[in-house]
């Protein structure tokens, strides 16, 4: 079919998932609890009280899921390793059965001709690192404290020693913005804290953890190391100075807080106007941190879903110490005249091109090759009388975003791969199972998998590249 976007030979097509969203088996084979177990089991935190206890039961059904990947024809599969399966208490003894699971998964992928790409941290922090368990050796307080970054690097070393011979591509962190700001400021993700300084400390310690993990992965000799960011395309709601200033704050908090230390060896120049005394009075940065954080990477992972239209907004909290919360410093305005997905996210493929082109303009040769490690859409899928899911909106989303990606490549951005989010419908964090991002439908009652039309479209698109 000629209307498929075309990509260069060697371009990697993949699909992505994350441990807590699909695995289930939360109390099996020695896995310890994570902050997401605690959070999802706290009344009122997730839609319908949904938890990842069973999820897609991928822990037991992974051979079937790998068969779906093989049939799809992807080059690579991005999964995440659950830290609490490997080091159940966050520090101390390693759990061999946890490592065995990923060992089996990796071998199954390789036997299917699929390259594994492993994310070390997709948000499931061992609970003991947030709040110490009695008798455990961890000190707790999560990413607010530097010790968590050190424990992360130890876990990274263990994982890479066991799997590094067969997993070529490693991602240290997934979307640290969500971990730091949704987790410690907005409180809509685990551990559900609402703090100002704590979120900024978390952001920094996540970056320190990344830097220490890069060292550990290099020492283990793995082939490619990167980090995945959810960079945002923030657009001003109007031309007013106030809205433009709000965009600077949004850019600082969503993008520059990560890209400046990672790619430019500095903290954002706009941090003071964004966070005021919360950042000028910080005591968590140390000499040498920028060198650690800014070590060269083999690739930058980018997750892209939508643009955000930003307007100036007054603080909603009386307490300025909590003003890091995104909804206190600027408001998101609904973009009219475009389709919105089931997440209520506007569909604007051109802004995907613009984001990548702007990033290249800003960082030039300091921008490593890019992998799009997530892109996709949640839609209000329906099962038709024929049992199929005719998800035309998702097909259009994927087609238009791949076309927009191709346009960024034509404009000079070095993009090496694209992973659709997600292989399976899964536990969409605080939104539970209501939001379906999969190109394969999961019936949570029976665990039956049904490939949607988007799965078939993606399969044909990949096949067309090779045909
Ligand atoms: C990203 C997450 C991923 C999934 C998608 C929809 O923020 O990395 O786990 O929830 O959004």
């Amino acid at each position: 079919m000629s209307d498929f976007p075309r990509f260069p030979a060697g371009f990697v097509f993949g699909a992505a998932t994350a441990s807590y969203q699909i695995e289930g088996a939360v109390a099996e084979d020695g896995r310890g609890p994570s902050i997401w177990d605690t959070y999802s089991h706290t009344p009122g935190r997730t839609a319908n009280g949904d938890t990842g206890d069973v999820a897609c039961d991928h822990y037991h059904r992974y051979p079937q899921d790998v068969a779906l990947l093989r049939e799809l024809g992807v080059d690579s599969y991005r999964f995440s390793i659950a830290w609490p399966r490997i080091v159940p208490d966050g520090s101390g003894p390693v759990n061999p059965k946890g490592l065995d699971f990923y060992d089996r998964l990796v071998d199954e992928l390789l036997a299917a001709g699929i390259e594994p790409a492993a994310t070390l941290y997709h948000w499931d922090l061992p609970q003991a690192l947030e709040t110490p368990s009695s008798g455990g050796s961890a000190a707790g307080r999560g990413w607010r404290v530097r010790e968590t970054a050190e424990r992360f690097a130890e876990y990274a070393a263990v994982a890479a020693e066991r799997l590094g011979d067969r997993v070529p591509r490693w991602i240290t962190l997934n979307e640290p913005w969500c971990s730091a700001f949704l987790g410690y400021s907005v409180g809509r993700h685990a551990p559900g804290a609402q703090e100002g300084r704590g979120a900024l400390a978390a952001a920094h310690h996540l970056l320190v953890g990344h830097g220490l993990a890069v060292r550990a992965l290099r020492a283990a000799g793995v082939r490619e190391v990167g980090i995945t960011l959810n960079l945002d395309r923030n657009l001003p709601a109007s031309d007013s100075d106030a809205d433009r200033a709000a965009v600077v704050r949004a850019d600082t908090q969503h993008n520059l807080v990560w890209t400046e230390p990672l790619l430019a060896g500095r903290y954002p120049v706009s941090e003071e106007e964004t966070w005021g005394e919360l950042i000028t009075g910080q005591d968590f940065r140390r000499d040498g941190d920028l060198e650690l954080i800014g070590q060269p990477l083999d690739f930058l992972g980018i997750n892209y879903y939508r643009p955000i239209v930003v307007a100036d907004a007054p603080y909603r909290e009386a307490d300025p110490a909590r003003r890091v919360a995104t909804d206190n410093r600027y408001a998101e305005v609904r973009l009219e005249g475009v389709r919105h997905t089931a997440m209520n996210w506007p569909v604007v493929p051109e802004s995907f091109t613009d984001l990548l082109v702007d990033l290249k303009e800003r960082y030039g040769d300091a921008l490593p090759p890019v992998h799009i490690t997530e892109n996709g859409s949640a839609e209000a899928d329906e099962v038709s009388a024929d049992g199929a899911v005719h998800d035309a909106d998702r097909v259009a989303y994927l087609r238009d975003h791949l076309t927009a990606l191709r346009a960024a490549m034509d404009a000079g951005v070095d993009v090496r791969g694209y992973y659709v989010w997600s292989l399976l419908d899964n536990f969409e964090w605080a939104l539970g199972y209501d939001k379906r991002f999969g190109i394969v439908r999961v019936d949570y009652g029976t665990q039956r998998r049904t490939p949607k039309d988007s799965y078939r479209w993606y399969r044909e698109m990949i096949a067309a590249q090779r045909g």
Side-chain angles (χ1 to χ4, degrees):
M1 277 173 69
S2 56
D3 66 337
F4 289 125
R6 292 283 175 165
F7 289 83
F11 190 85
V12 172
F13 288 100
T17 63
S19 47
Y20 190 71
Q21 294 181 276
I22 64 165
E23 286 179 358
V26 290
E28 230 168 290
D29 290 340
R31 177 188 179 277
S34 80
I35 56 173
W36 268 97
D37 295 283
T38 308
Y39 187 81
S40 65
H41 279 269
T42 305
R45 290 300 205 177
T46 65
N48 321 304
D50 289 344
T51 74
D53 287 2
V54 179
C56 306
D57 193 31
H58 171 78
Y59 192 77
H60 301 112
R61 292 168 200 263
Y62 72 91
Q64 187 188 347
D65 295 335
V66 173
L68 283 164
L69 288 163
R70 189 188 48 222
E71 179 67 13
L72 184 58
V74 287
D75 305 294
S76 179
Y77 171 55
R78 175 183 177 230
F79 61 96
S80 81
I81 300 174
W83 183 354
R85 285 198 196 282
I86 310 302
V87 189
D89 212 23
S91 66
V94 169
N95 174 34
K97 285 187 174 169
L99 282 167
D100 291 346
F101 168 67
Y102 296 105
D103 207 78
R104 292 195 295 276
L105 173 64
V106 163
D107 285 345
E108 189 87 11
L109 288 164
L110 293 174
I114 299 164
E115 263 194 4
T119 305
L120 283 163
Y121 187 68
H122 204 126
W123 309 348
D124 38 6
L125 184 73
Q127 181 63 44
L129 292 178
E130 181 65 31
T131 45
S133 58
S134 58
S137 54
R141 308 220 345 106
W143 288 106
R144 300 175 194 86
V145 300
R146 199 175 183 97
E147 286 72 18
T148 296
E150 289 159 6
R151 300 295 83 74
F152 178 61
E154 290 161 9
Y155 146 65
V158 169
E161 268 156 37
R162 178 70 178 268
L163 304 169
D165 57 336
R166 284 155 296 148
V167 176
R169 186 165 304 129
W170 290 76
I171 295 163
T172 54
L173 306 174
N174 176 70
E175 300 192 357
W177 180 83
C178 296
S179 304
F181 294 104
L182 293 182
Y184 290 90
S185 173
V186 181
R188 251 193 301 119
H189 274 189
Q194 292 191 318
E195 303 168 10
R197 187 188 174 283
L200 293 177
H204 185 68
H205 294 137
L206 282 153
L207 284 168
V208 170
H210 158 79
L212 293 171
V214 170
R215 269 193 200 153
L217 292 166
R218 297 270 185 234
V222 310
R223 202 165 84 196
E224 285 180 43
V225 180
I227 183 172
T228 281
L229 305 174
N230 54 321
L231 297 180
D232 274 317
R233 179 100 183 127
N234 299 301
L235 305 167
S238 79
D239 273 344
S240 73
D241 289 348
D243 285 349
R244 290 192 172 279
V247 167
V248 171
R249 293 196 299 271
D251 269 342
T252 306
Q253 181 154 314
H254 283 258
N255 303 332
L256 303 177
V257 64
W258 318 111
T259 56
E260 290 290 287
L262 286 165
L263 304 178
R266 61 174 175 241
Y267 299 109
V269 289
S270 46
E271 62 180 16
E272 201 176 327
E273 66 184 276
T274 303
W275 296 307
E277 71 281 5
L278 285 179
I279 197 73
T280 50
Q282 62 76 28
D283 57 1
F284 42 75
R285 290 175 180 167
R286 293 198 190 157
D287 288 349
D289 282 356
L290 281 172
E291 289 69 34
L292 178 69
I293 296 165
Q295 291 168 85
L297 298 175
D298 301 301
F299 66 93
L300 177 67
I302 296 177
N303 295 349
Y304 176 83
Y305 291 93
R306 55 155 175 173
I308 298 182
V309 181
V310 167
D312 183 42
Y315 300 132
R316 256 183 250 159
E317 295 293 338
D319 174 6
R322 288 173 57 179
R323 73 185 191 191
V324 179
T326 49
D327 55 355
N328 291 339
R329 300 264 15 222
Y330 45 85
E332 196 179 327
V333 178
R334 187 179 165 90
L335 188 62
E336 297 301 341
V338 300
R339 190 178 82 79
H340 287 71
T341 69
M343 296 289 276
N344 224 348
W345 290 349
V347 180
V348 190
E350 312 83 77
S351 87
F352 189 19
T353 313
D354 296 343
L355 175 106
L356 293 166
V357 171
D358 283 3
L359 196 66
K360 179 70 193 170
E361 266 169 27
R362 185 186 274 269
Y363 293 107
D365 291 342
L367 180 69
V370 169
H371 277 274
I372 304 306
T373 40
E374 289 180 25
N375 174 245
S377 75
E379 305 293 348
D381 294 332
E382 277 171 29
V383 183
S384 302
D386 60 359
V389 180
H390 301 299
D391 54 341
D393 285 339
R394 186 177 288 104
V395 169
Y397 182 99
L398 295 178
R399 185 197 56 223
D400 295 347
H401 282 79
L402 278 160
T403 303
L405 177 61
R406 185 63 242 223
M409 294 167 70
D410 289 339
V413 187
D414 181 4
V415 185
R416 305 281 176 91
Y418 172 93
Y419 293 79
V420 69
W421 183 271
S422 176
L423 175 68
L424 304 170
D425 288 341
N426 58 48
F427 175 75
E428 180 46 35
W429 308 111
L431 301 174
Y433 295 99
D434 289 350
K435 302 294 179 220
R436 293 177 176 270
F437 273 93
I439 57 172
V440 174
R441 183 179 177 86
V442 175
D443 177 324
Y444 295 108
T446 61
Q447 290 296 345
R448 200 191 140 132
R449 274 82 163 133
T450 306
K452 305 178 190 176
D453 282 2
S454 53
Y455 173 98
R456 277 179 279 279
W457 181 86
Y458 194 46
R459 186 177 62 195
E460 282 167 32
M461 200 272 317
I462 295 169
Q465 311 295 322
R466 294 166 186 157

